[in-house]
Amino acid sequence: MKNSLIIFFLVFLPTLAFSQVAPQGLEALTITESANGTKTYSVSLKILALMTALTILPSLVLGMTAFTRIIIVMSILRQALGTQQTPPNQILVAISLFLTFFIMAPTFNKIYSDVSGPYNKGEMNLTEAVESGGGELKKFMIKNTRKNDLLMFSQMANEGDFEDSTQVPFYIVLPAYITSELKTAFQIGFLLFLPFLVIDMVVASVLMSLGMMMLSPMLIALPFKLLLFVLVDGWSMTVGSLVGTFS
């Protein structure tokens, strides 16, 4: 009986509540234009815009921040160590997210102070806030994008030379930034792979010379890789080097 009542409230109560507020919500979908030309959006439209922004938030985190470079380097490092699923994917994503917030903190703080504060006080409308916040993200991406990649996408878009970095549109900056991040991440991953590759080759040569061909070189090399990584304080070196690669 109790389970039936719980199911009833979970299924039908939200439907009944929505049916009562739906007409008011539909009537609130209006845009009021004042005499000076500014527009005021209704509460429902603001909620709709917020929910739409939340759906594309993962793509923004992946494509417009430092997350791409960090997660690729961490994945290559785990593969170079040969530890299979250690650290697990959840830990790598968590490390990458926290490092992303650390690297992007100056940009986010500037957006909050220059955009969010004035917008909440009514000193800036929505269009100006979006343009100002997007401009700060664009500055970060352009600083960490190779000029060759920007030039390549600019030529493919049949755009000429830009006098200032602020004139570069987002549809050129975004793919150029992601392409540059992938290139940088693989370069860092190659440098991380080299010392562990040397250990694998040395262990395989020793096992071959001893005639232990049936013994897996990866199994024997794993403790030496972990020992080397711990002795040189590998995590601090990797994280510090990653943070230092961003402008």
Side-chain angles (χ1 to χ4, degrees):
M1 183 65 180
K2 293 182 179 180
N3 294 335
S4 301
L5 291 176
I6 293 173
I7 294 174
F8 173 82
F9 281 109
L10 290 177
V11 174
F12 294 102
L13 190 59
T15 305
L16 294 175
F18 179 78
S19 63
Q20 293 177 0
V21 301
Q24 297 178 358
L26 290 176
E27 292 177 358
L29 292 176
T30 57
I31 302 176
T32 305
E33 187 171 355
S34 59
N36 57 1
T38 60
K39 296 181 179 179
T40 303
Y41 296 89
S42 66
V43 176
S44 297
L45 278 181
K46 292 180 180 179
I47 295 176
L48 179 63
L50 177 62
M51 297 302 296
T52 304
L54 290 177
T55 57
I56 63 175
L57 183 61
S59 299
L60 296 178
V61 173
L62 293 176
M64 300 175 64
T65 61
F67 183 83
T68 302
R69 183 188 306 185
I70 298 172
I71 191 64
I72 292 176
V73 171
M74 291 296 179
S75 301
I76 293 177
L77 176 61
R78 183 178 65 180
Q79 187 175 359
L81 285 171
T83 53
Q84 301 300 323
Q85 294 299 320
T86 304
N89 293 330
Q90 293 85 349
I91 301 299
L92 290 184
V93 172
I95 294 173
S96 301
L97 280 175
F98 292 144
L99 287 178
T100 299
F101 293 148
F102 177 78
I103 294 170
M104 300 294 298
T107 302
F108 290 157
N109 290 335
K110 190 170 181 59
I111 291 176
Y112 179 79
S113 60
D114 296 347
V115 179
S116 180
Y119 175 73
N120 292 330
K121 294 177 182 178
E123 300 174 357
M124 183 183 298
N125 58 36
L126 182 61
T127 303
E128 294 175 347
V130 171
E131 291 179 354
S132 181
E136 294 298 330
L137 285 175
K138 187 192 295 185
K139 290 179 182 178
F140 172 82
M141 289 188 291
I142 291 178
K143 286 181 180 179
N144 295 278
T145 304
R146 290 179 171 84
K147 294 182 179 179
N148 294 333
D149 295 327
L150 280 174
L151 182 61
M152 179 184 68
F153 282 97
S154 177
Q155 291 177 350
M156 287 191 295
N158 294 325
E159 296 283 351
D161 296 332
F162 298 99
E163 298 180 357
D164 191 5
S165 59
T166 57
Q167 298 179 356
V168 184
F170 260 105
Y171 72 90
I172 292 179
V173 175
L174 281 175
Y177 174 73
I178 295 176
T179 303
S180 180
E181 287 292 282
L182 291 174
K183 188 183 300 182
T184 304
F186 277 98
Q187 289 178 350
I188 298 174
F190 171 76
L191 296 177
L192 287 175
F193 228 107
L194 286 180
F196 301 111
L197 181 61
V198 172
I199 294 177
D200 286 333
M201 295 177 63
V202 170
V203 171
S205 300
V206 172
L207 292 178
M208 287 288 291
S209 62
L210 294 176
M212 300 180 180
M213 292 176 292
M214 300 299 294
L215 192 60
S216 174
M218 294 181 61
L219 183 63
I220 304 300
L222 179 59
F224 294 99
K225 291 180 181 179
L226 295 178
L227 179 62
L228 173 65
F229 195 69
V230 171
L231 287 178
V232 300
D233 198 8
W235 286 114
S236 297
M237 292 180 60
T238 303
V239 170
S241 300
L242 270 175
V243 174
T245 57
F246 289 94
S247 299

